[in-house]
Amino acid sequence: MKRFCSKDLVAVIVITVLVLSEASGHRFGYSKPDQRRWSKAHESCAGKHQSPIAISSSKAIPLNMPAIELVGYNNLLPGPITLHNNGHSVSLGIPKTDPAKGKHPYIFGGKLQNEYELEGLHFHWGDKNNRGSEHVLNDIRYPLEMHIIHRNKKYKNVAEALGYSDGLTVLGFFYQVTEHEGNEIGYLLRSFPAIEDYDNQVHLNYTFTLNSLLGDLDLTRFYTYKGSLTTPPCSEAVTWVVFPDLLNISISQIRRFRVLDTGMHGSPMVDNYRALQPLGNRRIFVRKVNARNTALDVVRNEIDHTKWDWVY
């Protein structure tokens, strides 16, 4: 497995942005000039395997692979859950599950070779309804994208995981604006008034399941590719799994994101998405959907995984 240079690893350990679901004190901007400056402080931001990217269903390679299995997503999350305005996004910090009470949520399947444990989640959104998501699907940029971050269990923490190409898996979900409120995200939005100002955080007085955020989404079909964090230090340590089925959010609901403050001269937190990055010679895979494709078919599909390995 690819190991990054020591200089990159030091930067990763010092600055773990968003993935740890808490502010690190490091500030960066999303304007075009600001994004061009990312690579001056973080060499990886100029890498060849960066995220986000534009995904085209017609160009993705269909592949027989297991579904992504979401273990513990139906269990109530351990509390207290922290909702935080870190100046770049809204993040959820989720304590680790007490081993005596069961396993912490984790995922496996797809092209993943290991189990990946939940670390947290955050959002990216736009000032208008025609932009906001980081990934673009079939030339559509959706108004909101949710990222659920998972760490490879073989690494002891996120800082270590970011030093390896198989360190993290991020599940990406798109939202569309509809006339009706999204029930899934409604409970979280009720706590947004408490975090409107930069660096405000609130401990939620309730808990919920991760599946409650996903509603009735069809999770059998997804796109997957090798990429990076979409914020500095842009470590190329992420396997992305992007689901095309859409979650709903109303106009009044998404406005609650747009009134949050970045703490930078009163600027509202909007358009907090990175510019699209070149795909280069990477491959994007899309899961073939059939009744027999489950995560228990790993051995059966091993030949396919060998044939379509992560070749750049």
Side-chain angles (χ1 to χ4, degrees), residues 134-166:
E134 296 216 289
H135 291 88
V136 169
L137 177 60
N138 293 328
D139 297 324
I140 298 176
R141 192 185 285 278
Y142 291 96
L144 180 69
E145 183 172 342
M146 176 173 65
H147 293 161
I148 307 182
I149 306 101
H150 303 77
R151 168 189 46 81
N152 194 326
K153 285 186 176 182
K154 69 181 182 180
Y155 305 120
K156 62 183 179 181
N157 53 43
V158 171
E160 180 184 359
L162 289 181
Y164 297 86
S165 61
D166 64 344

Side-chain angles (χ1 to χ4, degrees), residues 82-277:
T82 303
L83 192 66
H84 185 202
N85 171 354
N86 57 29
H88 310 128
S89 180
V90 172
S91 65
L92 264 74
I94 302 166
K96 295 298 181 182
T97 304
D98 184 343
K101 297 181 180 180
K103 290 186 176 181
H104 201 61
Y106 67 95
I107 64 172
F108 66 97
K111 286 181 63 63
L112 304 177
Q113 302 299 313
N114 300 97
E115 295 177 348
Y116 287 72
E117 188 172 78
L118 174 70
E119 286 290 338
L121 64 89
H122 62 256
F123 299 88
H124 299 266
W125 61 91
D127 189 30
K128 304 295 182 182
N129 294 338
N130 64 348
R131 62 180 187 262
S133 67
E134 296 216 289
H135 291 88
V136 169
L137 177 60
N138 293 328
D139 297 324
I140 298 176
R141 192 185 285 278
Y142 291 96
L144 180 69
E145 183 172 342
M146 176 173 65
H147 293 161
I148 307 182
I149 306 101
H150 303 77
R151 168 189 46 81
N152 194 326
K153 285 186 176 182
K154 69 181 182 180
Y155 305 120
K156 62 183 179 181
N157 53 43
V158 171
E160 180 184 359
L162 289 181
Y164 297 86
S165 61
D166 64 344
L168 299 176
T169 292
V170 180
L171 306 184
F173 300 91
F174 299 118
Y175 287 77
Q176 63 181 346
V177 172
T178 64
E179 295 181 2
H180 306 289
E181 291 196 344
N183 294 327
E184 297 82 10
I185 200 170
Y187 285 106
L188 288 182
L189 291 172
R190 294 175 188 175
S191 300
F192 271 38
I195 61 164
E196 284 188 5
D197 294 333
Y198 164 65
D199 207 27
N200 277 8
Q201 60 183 6
V202 60
H203 296 304
L204 303 183
N205 60 3
Y206 61 90
T207 185
F208 54 89
T209 69
L210 287 174
N211 266 345
S212 69
L213 292 178
L214 305 181
D216 297 323
L217 279 187
D218 177 8
L219 302 179
T220 61
R221 189 167 184 265
F222 54 82
Y223 300 90
T224 186
Y225 76 99
K226 293 293 289 185
S228 72
L229 297 181
T230 60
T231 59
C234 311
S235 307
E236 294 180 342
V238 182
T239 298
W240 282 93
V241 179
V242 179
F243 296 90
D245 209 22
L246 302 178
L247 289 161
N248 295 326
I249 190 168
S250 70
I251 292 176
S252 62
Q253 286 179 319
I254 199 167
R255 284 174 178 165
R256 299 187 192 180
F257 283 93
R258 295 169 179 162
V259 300
L260 301 178
D261 182 30
T262 62
M264 301 176 72
H265 310 294
S267 300
M269 195 189 306
V270 292
D271 296 334
N272 59 343
Y273 59 91
R274 189 185 188 189
L276 292 175
Q277 303 298 302

Side-chain angles (χ1 to χ4, degrees), residues 28-41 232 273 275:
F28 58 85
Y30 277 99
S31 69
K32 289 182 179 179
D34 283 335
Q35 291 195 39
R36 285 194 292 268
R37 285 191 284 268
W38 291 5
S39 60
K40 294 182 179 179
Y273 59 91

Side-chain angles (χ1 to χ4, degrees), residues 7-8 10-17 24 26-28 34-47 50 229 231-235 274:
K7 182 172 66 175
D8 285 342
V10 169
V12 162
I13 293 173
V14 173
I15 304 170
T16 53
V17 183
S24 64
H26 177 66
R27 306 307 306 278
F28 58 85
D34 283 335
Q35 291 195 39
R36 285 194 292 268
R37 285 191 284 268
W38 291 5
S39 60
K40 294 182 179 179
H42 307 281
E43 184 178 350
S44 293
C45 293
Q50 290 290 290
L229 297 181
T231 59
C234 311
S235 307
R274 189 185 188 189

